[in-house]
């Protein structure tokens, strides 16, 4: 494997450090026809350079904007993820850059945050933010979130710890804990059992924990191993689907995916063959008996199967007694992040067509 080169150290003392701001779109860059329309807007329209207008640069820092994409994050693609990984990686390698800020739609922000953490494990801080109201709103939340993201990215705690962090509505979450928990409120994000890691208040960060210790703990949760090549250099990522166990889950969906896998591997289906399944089980990762039969068949045919829970909070506890999630590959990550980790894990292997 060609490991990504180590991040370059910071600049000479006294020189202004660069905070590179990478725009990817989202509601924070959204525009509506009317100022009172908080729903019928188009996301991913305003340029990141324009979002920064009027924001004070943190003392000793200079802002440098770069537009990586401008999309509604519900439409996130591997191509955008690859472009973002490459842009963040390049920024981390630049000795003048001391921190990276990513503006992003809120809908898949938790996936991208985890992707950046799991794939790059950055020694410099990478902060993601977004907004729940478009830039044209009467009281948009984007400018305040951006201002607080600048504070967070240049804070001593994140500067010492590195890692990927998310801030919205004054709260700070690590990349593993963060998840969108509400479709409309400005404080739409939560950290599950972990809660927030810090608050941004009055232009300062108030940490509730040691950020360096939290970042160190994240590495153990990535489950990815060493990728054969940096993921941004790989065009076709393995197909990993995310399904849920529920009343009446009879495995028909898995059988359909296996049929697609066989057809794709035989060259009769142009889509990438199924390579992995993340199953959001009930409760402690339990799976309907009929779905479990289909998953065992998938494993026999070479599909990687990871189990997590569909519960909004908590983690699956592996049981030594064969109940609950016993027997499956269990991940403590919620489904959206487990899917990212499984794709990265499979990128480390040759995935046969
Ligand atoms: C998006 O995720 O791009 C749209 C929704 C949002 O940013 O809140």
């Amino acid at each position: 494997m060609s490991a990504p080169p180590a991040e370059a150290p910071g600049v000479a003392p006294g020189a202004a450090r660069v905070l590179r701001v990478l725009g990817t779109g989202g509601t924070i860059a959204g525009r509506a026809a009317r100022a009172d329309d908080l729903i019928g807007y188009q996301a991913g329209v305003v340029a990141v350079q324009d979002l920064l207008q009027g924001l004070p640069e943190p003392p000793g820092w200079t802002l440098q904007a770069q537009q990586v994409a401008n999309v509604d994050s519900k439409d996130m693609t591997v191509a955008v993820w690859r472009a973002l990984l490459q842009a963040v990686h390049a920024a981390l390698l630049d000795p003048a850059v001391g921190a990276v800020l990513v503006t992003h739609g809120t809908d898949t922000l938790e996936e991208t945050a985890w992707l950046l953490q799991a794939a790059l494990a950055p020694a410099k801080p990478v902060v993601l933010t977004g907004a729940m109201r478009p830039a044209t709103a009467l009281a948009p939340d984007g400018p305040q979130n951006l201002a607080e993201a600048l504070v967070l990215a240049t804070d001593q705690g994140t500067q010492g710890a590195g890692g990927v962090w998310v801030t919205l509505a004054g709260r700070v979450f690590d990349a593993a804990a963060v998840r969108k928990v509400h479709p409309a409120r400005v404080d739409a994000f939560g950290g599950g059992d972990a809660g927030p890691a810090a608050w941004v208040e009055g232009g300062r960060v108030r940490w509730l924990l040691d950020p360096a210790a939290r970042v160190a703990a994240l590495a153990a949760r990535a489950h990815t191993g060493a990728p054969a090549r940096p993921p941004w250099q790989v065009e076709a990522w393995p197909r990993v689907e995310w399904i849920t166990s529920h009343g009446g889950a009879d495995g028909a969906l898995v059988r359909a995916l296996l049929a697609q896998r066989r057809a794709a591997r035989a060259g009769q289906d142009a889509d990438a063959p199924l390579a992995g399944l993340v199953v959001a089980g009930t409760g402690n990762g339990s799976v309907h008996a009929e779905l479990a039969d289909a998953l065992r068949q998938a494993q026999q045919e070479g599909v990687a199967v990871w189990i997590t829970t569909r519960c909004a909070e908590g983690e699956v506890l592996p049981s030594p007694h064969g109940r609950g999630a016993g027997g499956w590959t269990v991940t403590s990550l919620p489904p959206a992040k487990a899917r990212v980790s499984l794709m990265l894990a499979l990128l480390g292997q040759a995935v046969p067509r």
Side-chain angles (χ1 to χ4, degrees), residues 25-28 41 43-44 71-75 104-109 130-133 180 183 189:
T27 294
I28 192 169
Y41 59 86
V71 296
D72 186 323
S73 82
K74 76 178 174 59
D75 299 324
H104 199 288
T106 62
D107 283 348
T108 55
L109 186 148
M132 292 298 289
R133 295 175 178 166
K180 191 170 182 180
F189 283 78

Side-chain angles (χ1 to χ4, degrees), residues 196-264:
W199 298 87
V200 187
E201 298 165 329
R204 289 167 167 251
V205 181
R206 178 162 63 90
W207 288 101
L208 305 177
L209 47 78
D210 173 4
R214 177 58 64 90
V215 169
L218 291 185
R221 301 192 66 190
H223 295 296
T224 54
R229 271 196 294 159
W232 56 93
Q233 290 179 7
V234 181
E235 196 173 330
W237 288 12
R239 174 190 290 274
V240 175
E241 298 290 348
W242 158 15
I243 61 171
T244 303
S245 189
H246 50 79
D250 62 3
L253 188 53
V254 174
R255 286 188 290 279
L257 286 166
L258 289 177
Q260 182 275 339
R261 173 179 160 89
R262 288 179 216 119

Side-chain angles (χ1 to χ4, degrees), residues 55 128 166 316 325:
L55 282 179
L128 282 80
V166 171
V316 174

Side-chain angles (χ1 to χ4, degrees), residues 179-198:
R179 62 202 71 186
K180 191 170 182 180
V181 295
H182 199 280
R185 282 192 331 227
V186 285
D187 60 338
F189 283 78
D193 285 350

